[in-house]
Amino acid sequence: QRMTFYCKPCTKLVCRDCTVAEHRPGPKHDPQEVSKVAQKYKEELQTLAAKTKAAADNMKKTDDTISKVLRSITTNCELQKKKIQEHFAQLREQLDKEERELIDKLAKMENTQKEPLLKEKELLEETFKSAESGLQFYADILAKGDDAEIQASRKLLELRLNHSRHKRDVP
């Protein structure tokens, strides 16, 4: 038999005969024509479908908004990263410049401090060579010379040795 009724409490399709026997209208059964019930369910389903479509449209808009915000965050972060890199490149450049300036200053200070000492060292070396030469000369006179030559050279020897000693003591 064709099922032309729907028993709401049982949620079953039933035939006409069942509406008289098993699913007779009462507190436990409420058979209604399928066409009437179907129309009501169809309207409920259409309303539910419309709500679902509206919710889906809202979700799509939200997804689009989130995508835009994500792109914006990425763009802003890349921009900030570039600014940070440029800033630190400038800092490194400034540090390199200051390093070069300080190294140049240090080199000048070193030269300023060394210059008088180098001149003094050069003078000292010349004096030392002269003193050595004089000492060798007088050692030779003392070793090979006679008494008259030693006596004649004595005054000259004293002057030269005193002169060498004074040169060495003067800073």
Side-chain angles (χ1 to χ4, degrees):
Q1 284 196 12
R2 198 163 175 236
M3 306 290 204
T4 54
F5 289 88
Y6 178 75
C7 183
K8 245 181 168 180
C10 298
T11 63
K12 288 184 180 180
L13 288 172
V14 293
C15 64
R16 177 189 282 237
D17 292 343
C18 290
T19 61
V20 176
E22 267 180 62
H23 293 275
R24 189 168 48 189
K28 293 185 178 182
H29 300 286
D30 183 20
Q32 295 180 11
E33 287 184 31
V34 169
S35 59
K36 289 181 184 176
V37 174
Q39 184 60 37
K40 183 179 176 188
Y41 282 149
K42 188 176 182 180
E43 288 170 6
E44 286 177 6
L45 286 174
Q46 286 173 339
T47 301
L48 184 59
K51 286 180 182 179
T52 303
K53 184 176 181 339
D57 289 345
N58 283 337
M59 284 187 265
K60 175 70 174 129
K61 287 178 185 175
T62 301
D63 183 58
D64 290 345
T65 301
I66 289 171
S67 294
K68 285 178 185 175
V69 170
L70 288 171
R71 283 190 301 272
S72 175
I73 288 170
T74 299
T75 301
N76 288 338
C77 286
E78 287 173 357
L79 179 64
Q80 292 306 315
K81 180 180 177 182
K82 188 174 182 179
K83 285 181 180 180
I84 289 168
Q85 289 170 331
E86 288 172 357
H87 176 72
F88 278 90
Q90 289 173 348
L91 288 175
R92 280 188 292 277
E93 185 179 313
Q94 183 64 31
L95 282 173
D96 289 344
K97 179 183 174 191
E98 288 182 26
E99 178 187 20
R100 287 188 303 272
E101 289 173 358
L102 286 172
I103 287 172
D104 289 347
K105 250 184 191 177
L106 181 63
K108 286 176 184 173
M109 284 173 51
E110 180 182 16
N111 288 337
T112 302
Q113 290 176 1
K114 280 183 168 181
E115 190 176 318
L117 293 172
L118 288 171
K119 285 180 182 176
E120 187 175 328
K121 185 177 189 310
E122 186 179 313
L123 181 62
L124 185 62
E125 286 172 355
E126 287 174 16
T127 304
F128 180 70
K129 284 180 186 176
S130 174
E132 273 187 328
S133 171
L135 284 172
Q136 186 61 46
F137 172 74
Y138 294 114
D140 289 346
I141 288 177
L142 287 171
K144 298 178 186 168
D146 59 21
D147 290 341
E149 191 177 2
I150 292 173
Q151 186 59 33
S153 303
R154 184 178 76 71
K155 194 67 171 168
L156 183 61
L157 176 62
E158 284 178 0
L159 283 171
R160 193 163 179 187
L161 289 174
N162 282 332
H163 178 69
S164 293
R165 194 179 73 211
H166 287 296
K167 265 186 156 180
R168 189 184 60 217
D169 292 342
V170 177

